[in-house]
């Protein structure tokens, strides 16, 4: 007899993310290094390794040397559990001076998809407000001389996009937590040493 653990995993994921919500939208306690957060659900990038340097083309103009805003990095994931209907991505900086700064809340990525190409925006997806109260990707831009970690956490969800475009963090993050059945993370570093 097989036991379906998905409801328990979803509840545990929801509790973990919801419990971590505080202040400016913190989505997890800062960690010294990135770790896999789900059994067999892994996140990688062809542009940087976990715990390595985030290429400056994904950062603000101060770091990229360009007037254009940074691009979203390419991300790949595998090992999502059965029952995954969509994916969400939350990118945050746990080293921000006022608590974790959420740079990007992106959801509604088809459950059959396993990657995002650099700088891409997928049809039929939604984006919530970031800590700066703007919709979309806010490129990393740590203060001069500071080195920050940027965590890209991908959530496997048991529903389509759980919030509407432009949702506030107080709405989008709990909605993601409620429908999470697995998650994985990759972290890139940027700034002075």
């Amino acid at each position: 007899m097989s036991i379906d653990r998905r409801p328990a995993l979803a509840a545990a994921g929801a509790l973990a993310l919801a419990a971590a919500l505080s202040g400016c939208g913190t989505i997890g306690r800062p960690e010294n290094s990135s770790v896999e957060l789900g059994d067999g659900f892994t996140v990688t990038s062809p542009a940087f390794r976990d715990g390595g340097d985030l290429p400056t083309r994904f950062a603000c103009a101060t770091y990229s040397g360009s007037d254009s805003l940074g691009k979203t990095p390419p991300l790949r994931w595998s090992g999502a559990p059965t029952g995954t209907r969509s994916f969400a991505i939350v990118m945050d900086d746990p080293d921000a001076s006022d608590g974790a700064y959420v740079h990007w809340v992106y959801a509604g990525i088809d459950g059959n998809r396993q990657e995002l190409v650099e700088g891409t925006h997928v049809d039929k997806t939604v984006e919530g407000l970031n800590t700066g109260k703007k919709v979309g990707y806010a490129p990393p831009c740590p203060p001069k001389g500071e080195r920050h970690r940027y965590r890209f956490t991908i959530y496997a969800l048991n529903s389509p996009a759980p919030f509407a475009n432009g949702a506030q963090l107080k709405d989008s993050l709990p909605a993601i937590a409620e429908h999470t059945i697995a998650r994985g993370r990759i972290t890139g570093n940027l700034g002075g040493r």
Side-chain angles (χ1 to χ4, degrees):
M1 176 176 170
S2 101
I3 298 172
D4 187 356
R5 295 182 7 194
R6 284 177 288 173
L9 288 173
L15 286 174
L17 186 57
L21 293 172
S22 66
C24 294
T26 303
I27 56 164
R29 292 187 306 265
E31 300 169 10
N32 290 329
S33 64
S34 293
V35 296
E36 287 183 21
L37 303 173
D39 280 343
F41 186 44
T42 60
V43 179
T44 61
S45 175
F48 64 100
R49 66 174 178 74
D50 186 38
D53 289 337
L54 187 66
T56 57
R57 71 181 180 269
F58 306 120
C60 67
T62 301
Y63 287 89
S64 68
S66 166
D67 288 337
S68 64
L69 289 177
K71 300 176 180 181
T72 57
L75 298 169
R76 295 179 180 156
W77 55 91
S78 62
T82 302
T84 299
R85 294 191 55 202
S86 71
F87 294 99
I89 301 172
V90 176
M91 179 240 193
D92 76 316
D93 170 4
D95 301 317
S97 60
D98 292 334
Y101 187 100
V102 177
H103 285 259
W104 192 29
V105 182
Y106 189 46
I109 302 163
D110 185 88
N112 293 318
R113 193 174 192 99
Q114 293 188 326
E115 73 175 319
L116 283 182
V117 177
E118 181 175 320
T120 193
H121 190 278
V122 180
D123 289 339
K124 299 180 182 175
T125 55
V126 297
E127 292 179 288
L129 296 178
N130 55 38
T131 300
K133 300 196 184 310
K134 295 183 179 171
V135 170
Y137 177 75
C141 201
K144 197 163 189 82
E146 292 185 22
R147 186 164 176 82
H148 286 212
R149 292 168 292 156
Y150 295 92
R151 305 183 298 187
F152 295 84
T153 306
I154 299 184
Y155 298 88
L157 307 178
N158 63 4
S159 73
F163 59 86
N165 206 45
Q168 295 182 32
L169 286 170
K170 69 179 183 65
D171 299 320
S172 63
L173 296 181
I176 290 170
E178 182 180 340
H179 295 282
T180 295
I181 56 176
R183 61 186 176 145
R185 176 181 293 159
I186 185 170
T187 301
N189 300 298
L190 183 68
R193 292 182 187 256

